[in-house]
Amino acid sequence: ASSPFLQGAPAYWAERIVRTEVLNANNASSNIAITTLNEDLGDMLKVNSATFDSRTSADSYAVHGQIRRTNEAFDSWFGSFMHPPDRPNDRSVVVPHRMSWPLPAGLKPKSDGEIAARWAMEGRKGSPPARPRISTVPMDQLRK
């Protein structure tokens, strides 16, 4: 009530800011933990994992399943980021993963067709932007 920015603004603005900042703090701490584990284990990776429901945007479909080394940034249509969220209301999380582990089905990237279908379902015209790079780690280095 005392915020000049939020006075007169819809209540969901405040909720959006808090939700995004809490997710940022959670993912930042996860990113630090993954980096620390990598110092001991040497084969830690991070995977961007999106939440899929009726509110999930096409850009989240496009970044889901990206694999990076601990010191590398993820890529999105909006730029690079070390950990989610990469925009307001993003509900993605950073997941720790070892190169010696097989990649679970739930962390595999969405197909180009799924991204395009979500783009169209949102009522967007034309094609979605070019898909961001999926992995900086050669997939044959991950345990099958």
Side-chain angles (χ1 to χ4, degrees), residues 17-40:
I17 291 167
V18 170
R19 182 175 46 241
T20 301
E21 291 304 319
V22 167
L23 279 169
N24 183 62
N26 179 64
N27 283 312
S29 65
S30 293
N31 196 56
I32 291 168
I34 295 166
T35 301
T36 302
L37 280 170
N38 190 55
E39 292 170 6
D40 292 336

Side-chain angles (χ1 to χ4, degrees), residues 66-87:
Q66 283 189 22
I67 301 170
R68 299 290 186 268
R69 291 175 180 86
T70 58
N71 63 342
E72 296 174 331
F74 294 109
D75 300 310
S76 78
W77 293 337
F78 310 113
S80 61
F81 57 103
M82 288 304 288
H83 58 79
D86 68 313
R87 59 165 171 76

Side-chain angles (χ1 to χ4, degrees), residues 106-133:
L107 291 179
K108 292 186 178 173
K110 295 296 185 183
S111 70
D112 291 341
E114 289 171 301
I115 296 166
R118 191 63 184 190
W119 179 268
M121 192 169 100
E122 292 172 0
R124 298 175 183 262
K125 305 293 183 207
S127 299
R131 182 181 198 142
R133 158 179 64 162

Side-chain angles (χ1 to χ4, degrees), residues 27-60:
N27 283 312
S29 65
S30 293
N31 196 56
I32 291 168
I34 295 166
T35 301
T36 302
L37 280 170
N38 190 55
E39 292 170 6
D40 292 336
L41 302 174
D43 72 339
M44 290 302 299
L45 302 171
K46 57 186 181 178
V47 182
N48 190 343
S49 179
T51 298
F52 296 103
D53 60 20
S54 63
R55 298 183 305 155
T56 307
S57 295
D59 65 289
S60 291

